[in-house]
Amino acid sequence: MAILRWVERNSLPVSAWEDPEKVDQVLRAIDTRLDGKQAAAWSRKRNRRILNVAMKYAIRRRILRTNPLPKGKESTAAVKTTNAVDKRSLLHPEQAAAILDCIRRRPRGGERLHAFFATLYYCGPRPEEAVAMRVEDVTLPERDAADQWCELLIHTATPEVGKQWTDTGEIHEQRDLKGRAEGETRTVPGHPALTRVLRQHIEDEELKPGDLLFQGESGGILAGSVIRRAWRNARKAVLPPHVFESPPDGACTTTATRD
């Protein structure tokens, strides 16, 4: 209650939305990071979308008569985003092979992390999707089959959101796949090279069908900090400085053209 009273004391009345200058101040604020720099385009677009939802709710509850936010071209002129892939964020096969080999040779958990990153490379799931996979979600061909392509069933995501943000007090939260209907799944083919990696991984770890496919040292979900540290250290060890500092630095989900 103390927090709500503080918010009430430090909030402008709803009538402030009728002042165009106040509206502009709010839009500038949600477009700006805490350090004063402009937020990324996707963040600005998402913030404005959320604010529009709040305005529609206020209208529905008859708190506001009209939506004071810019409409049409005026609303999108300041926020331009693109779905085009930045080619600098792509690894070519030689780079990927070198990074995966470096990860495999890590003294602690290298083989396990190698299987995880190989799955990201060959099949392109989000990390939060890969860490949620069970052994039973992987269909491997028989060893002597002519077709050695495997198949992965992606159906759950467990993003790492922090204990303070989950109802269960766990670091991870179980969700449906991002951008898809509730309960929807995605089937992904896996290159024969991945088939060999996963078959060996399952055998070495002595995993059962209901086990997590990729586990941390204690048998739980693979931690995001471990994933990020392994990826960054491998890139730094393998790539020239100018390539290491390129856009893929933060993209542990980077994929490249497959053989």
Side-chain angles (χ1 to χ4, degrees), residues 128 142 161 179:
E128 62 263 29
E142 296 295 332
V161 296

Side-chain angles (χ1 to χ4, degrees), residues 151-228:
E151 188 173 271
L152 276 59
L153 178 65
I154 313 294
H155 56 81
T156 306
T158 53
E160 191 174 89
V161 296
K163 294 181 178 179
Q164 67 272 34
W165 303 112
T166 61
D167 295 333
T168 61
E170 300 291 334
I171 296 176
H172 296 82
E173 183 176 67
Q174 185 167 312
R175 300 178 181 175
D176 291 304
L177 302 184
K178 187 173 183 179
R180 290 179 178 261
E182 184 176 348
E184 187 174 354
T185 64
R186 186 171 78 250
T187 302
V188 185
H191 192 278
L194 179 62
T195 298
R196 293 191 294 271
V197 170
L198 291 180
R199 180 181 285 124
Q200 192 65 49
H201 168 70
I202 292 171
E203 291 178 357
D204 291 346
E205 297 292 320
E206 299 181 350
L207 299 176
K208 304 295 187 296
D211 292 342
L212 285 171
L213 182 60
F214 307 114
Q215 303 177 5
E217 289 187 344
S218 61
I221 296 178
L222 190 58
S225 58
V226 174
I227 295 170
R228 291 187 292 272

Side-chain angles (χ1 to χ4, degrees), residues 96-152:
I99 291 175
L100 288 174
D101 183 61
C102 181
I103 291 173
R104 183 179 57 79
R105 290 185 282 105
R106 283 172 60 91
R108 289 181 59 182
E111 295 286 352
R112 187 182 305 116
L113 287 167
H114 173 259
F116 172 79
F117 281 107
T119 300
L120 297 191
Y121 174 70
Y122 283 108
C123 293
R126 297 173 182 273
E128 62 263 29
E129 295 172 345
V131 297
M133 290 182 61
R134 303 278 172 176
V135 176
E136 61 193 5
D137 297 327
V138 180
T139 302
L140 298 175
E142 296 295 332
R143 290 181 181 274
D144 57 354
D147 183 355
Q148 283 296 307
W149 283 77
C150 62
E151 188 173 271
L152 276 59

Side-chain angles (χ1 to χ4, degrees), residues 47 59 68 76 120 157 250:
N47 293 342
I59 294 171
T76 58
L120 297 191

Side-chain angles (χ1 to χ4, degrees), residues 16 23 28 33 36 60 86 88 93 95 98 151 157 186 202 221 232-233 240 256 259:
V23 174
R28 284 195 296 272
R33 301 188 320 195
R60 190 165 64 250
D86 185 344
R88 297 174 300 170
Q95 289 175 330
E151 188 173 271
R186 186 171 78 250
I202 292 171
I221 296 178
R232 183 174 177 82
N233 289 346
D259 295 333

